[in-house]
Amino acid sequence: MTSEASSIIQAVNVTKTFAQSALPVQAVRGIDLTIHKGEMVSIVGPSGSGKSTLLTLLGAIDAPTSGQVILEGTDCATLDDAQRTMLRRRRIGFVFQAFNLLPTLTAVENVALPLELDGVAEAEAVQRAADALAGVGLEKRRDHLPSMLSGGEQQRVAIARALVIDPALVMADEPTGNLDSVSSRQVTDLLRQLVDEQQQTVVMVTHDMEVANRADRIVHVRDGQIDPQPFHSVSGGDPTTEAQ
């Protein structure tokens, strides 16, 4: 899959510099990356490598210091905070290590919340949330509070919340980091299934190479740059080096 027409997001010579005391820290240094529709990409690297910063740039949480981050033809680097917020709300689903569910809301209420914040009527939002929960196998747990759910179930609620907006892109930041091995495999299987069966696009930061190897492509980040070391994907394809 190499056509530019199929690309969901592109990073073009992206940099990010943080001002810390008198010495700026360049966390991302000239990264070029293209991610295509229906692709699962893992971003890996040692602590401090810049992988999490890269995810925040790709997810329009932060703006690059220079370069372009182009999501479905829109350069996120040109947007202000309010415009990036609206873009994230409507086109990017997020899954975090800590689940980030509101403890006083039921599963279906947590999943419906992004829709309601975007002005969708409550009845429609709840119905769409119920459908999303059914899609991750939790239709019978819709009225449970997060405290009544296992870690794996909470993460599946978080995935349903990410999917309910019908996003162009799902960004997952260490989605299995708080899970035991069985729940980790279940969540990874679910993400893989979304790609294989629904052509969802998933970008995932992980330190777990067993999880990373389920992706179509592994992007190795070191010292703020893509490390062009060969990778092997268990889901098929020839070993290659990361570029586009």
Side-chain angles (χ1 to χ4, degrees):
M1 187 168 9
T2 59
S3 169
E4 291 300 320
S6 71
S7 70
I8 291 293
I9 191 164
Q10 291 177 277
V12 182
N13 197 24
V14 166
T15 72
K16 184 64 181 181
T17 302
F18 296 101
Q20 295 186 355
S21 302
L23 184 64
V25 174
Q26 196 167 17
V28 173
R29 301 188 292 157
I31 281 183
D32 293 302
L33 178 64
T34 299
I35 295 168
H36 299 279
K37 179 176 175 57
E39 186 177 25
M40 185 176 184
V41 175
S42 292
I43 300 175
V44 302
S47 178
S49 63
K51 61 184 185 297
S52 293
T53 300
L54 177 59
L55 193 75
T56 66
L57 297 175
L58 294 174
I61 295 172
D62 201 357
T65 302
S66 64
Q68 296 176 291
V69 177
I70 304 169
L71 175 66
E72 296 183 308
T74 297
D75 185 359
C76 302
T78 66
L79 305 180
D80 61 26
D81 287 346
Q83 291 170 324
R84 288 202 314 275
T85 297
M86 189 61 68
L87 181 74
R88 292 195 304 270
R89 183 182 295 171
R90 294 180 174 174
R91 301 307 296 146
I92 305 174
F94 290 92
V95 180
F96 299 99
Q97 178 176 342
F99 317 137
N100 288 10
L101 302 177
L102 294 180
T104 59
L105 298 184
T106 64
V108 74
E109 289 170 340
N110 266 287
V111 176
L113 187 59
L115 297 174
E116 294 179 2
L117 290 174
D118 201 36
V120 176
E122 181 180 359
E124 180 185 348
V126 170
Q127 183 57 58
R128 288 171 61 179
D131 291 343
L133 284 170
V136 299
L138 289 179
E139 61 269 30
K140 294 182 179 179
R141 309 287 274 173
R142 54 168 284 169
D143 295 320
H144 288 64
L145 295 171
S147 61
M148 303 166 67
L149 302 173
S150 69
E153 288 173 331
Q154 289 185 63
Q155 194 61 293
R156 281 192 280 161
V157 172
I159 291 171
R161 182 183 57 191
L163 295 173
V164 76
I165 64 170
D166 190 23
L169 185 66
V170 172
M171 311 294 290
D173 189 3
E174 297 284 4
T176 64
N178 279 346
L179 303 179
D180 60 37
S181 59
V182 172
S183 296
S184 176
R185 282 194 298 273
Q186 291 173 342
V187 165
T188 308
D189 287 346
L190 175 57
L191 292 172
R192 185 71 247 177
Q193 182 180 359
L194 292 171
V195 174
D196 293 339
E197 297 183 4
Q198 300 181 28
Q199 284 292 287
Q200 183 62 64
T201 306
V202 175
V203 180
M204 172 176 58
V205 163
T206 181
H207 69 278
D208 187 334
M209 288 308 300
E210 184 176 347
V211 173
N213 281 331
R214 297 295 302 279
D216 301 302
R217 207 161 29 121
I218 301 177
V219 176
H220 299 265
V221 177
R222 184 179 296 274
D223 298 328
Q225 297 177 304
I226 289 176
D227 184 353
Q229 72 182 72
F231 75 91
H232 173 66
S233 170
V234 299
S235 57
D238 295 326
T240 185
T241 55
E242 174 55 46
Q244 297 295 318

